[in-house]
Amino acid sequence: MRHGSIPGARGRVRPLTLFGDPILHQPCAEVTDFGPELAGLVEDLFATMYAARGVGLAANQIGEPVRVFVYDCPDDEDVRHLGHVVNPRLVVADGVVVRGPEGCLSLPGLEAGTERHDHAVVEGFTVTGEPVTVHGTGWFARCLQHEADHLAGTVYADRLTGLRRRRLLRQAARASWSG
């Protein structure tokens, strides 16, 4: 029997903020109120992430420019990592740099080889204000770095250079015209 609620079960699915919206390129504000509104936002983030079939989602991706993200992401050993971080700080990104496929719910259907470290540590708080430290390796480390970037106003396309960047931006432009 399961104890506790399923993340997002009480949340509502919100529209995703898409690439090109200025909110994705602005640093998000620190959370100062750890009350019911924050708990509702976390529930909405989970509900929206699951509806979009993602593994992570930052608050600015649903139009809320505050420092919160959620995740439900496996690592390279297929161990599931599930949680959220309020006011996260990426305190470690080290190890081997791996170029791997990366996508984003704000750039639906697009993907590009993006370089990320294979180890990351994020510190922050839970929705109730308790300190939390999250360690990630492999795919999960990529997820932590990706979501921390969002809250700093960076999308993975900003990390690309040369042909990979031009190709992704062309695909994004075509997708916005056909949508």
Side-chain angles (χ1 to χ4, degrees):
M1 181 179 260
R2 200 177 181 118
H3 297 284
S5 66
I6 298 168
R10 285 186 235 112
R12 67 182 170 92
V13 176
R14 298 213 211 163
L16 289 167
T17 303
L18 298 179
F19 184 71
D21 190 308
I23 198 171
L24 295 175
H25 290 286
Q26 298 166 355
C28 293
E30 292 285 313
V31 171
T32 57
D33 183 1
F34 286 77
E37 283 186 25
L38 177 61
L41 173 60
V42 169
E43 282 291 306
D44 290 355
L45 283 165
F46 273 114
T48 305
M49 177 185 71
Y50 289 138
R53 299 178 182 238
V55 296
L57 188 65
N60 59 345
Q61 290 182 273
I62 61 169
E64 299 288 342
V66 293
R67 297 186 54 76
V68 181
F69 70 75
V70 299
Y71 57 87
D72 188 345
C73 183
D75 60 23
D76 288 357
E77 310 305 317
D78 211 28
V79 174
R80 180 184 186 194
H81 299 271
L82 171 67
H84 67 277
V85 185
V86 179
N87 294 336
R89 289 182 314 120
L90 181 65
V91 294
V92 175
D94 64 6
V96 177
V97 174
V98 178
R99 180 181 296 159
E102 195 161 325
C104 180
L105 296 176
S106 292
L107 287 101
L110 302 180
E111 188 177 274
T114 307
E115 293 184 352
R116 298 280 188 186
H117 291 277
D118 72 345
H119 175 248
V121 178
V122 169
E123 293 177 348
F125 300 90
T126 68
V127 73
T128 58
E130 297 297 317
V132 65
T133 301
V134 182
H135 297 264
T137 59
W139 184 252
F140 183 46
R142 177 176 295 276
C143 175
L144 292 173
Q145 293 166 80
H146 179 105
E147 300 310 329
D149 271 0
H150 269 301
L151 301 179
T154 301
V155 294
Y156 81 96
D158 298 330
R159 292 187 165 277
L160 303 175
T161 58
L163 181 60
R164 281 194 324 279
R165 181 173 173 78
R166 289 191 302 274
R167 184 179 299 142
L168 183 74
L169 294 177
R170 273 196 309 273
Q171 290 171 336
R174 278 197 298 271
S176 69
W177 282 103
S178 65

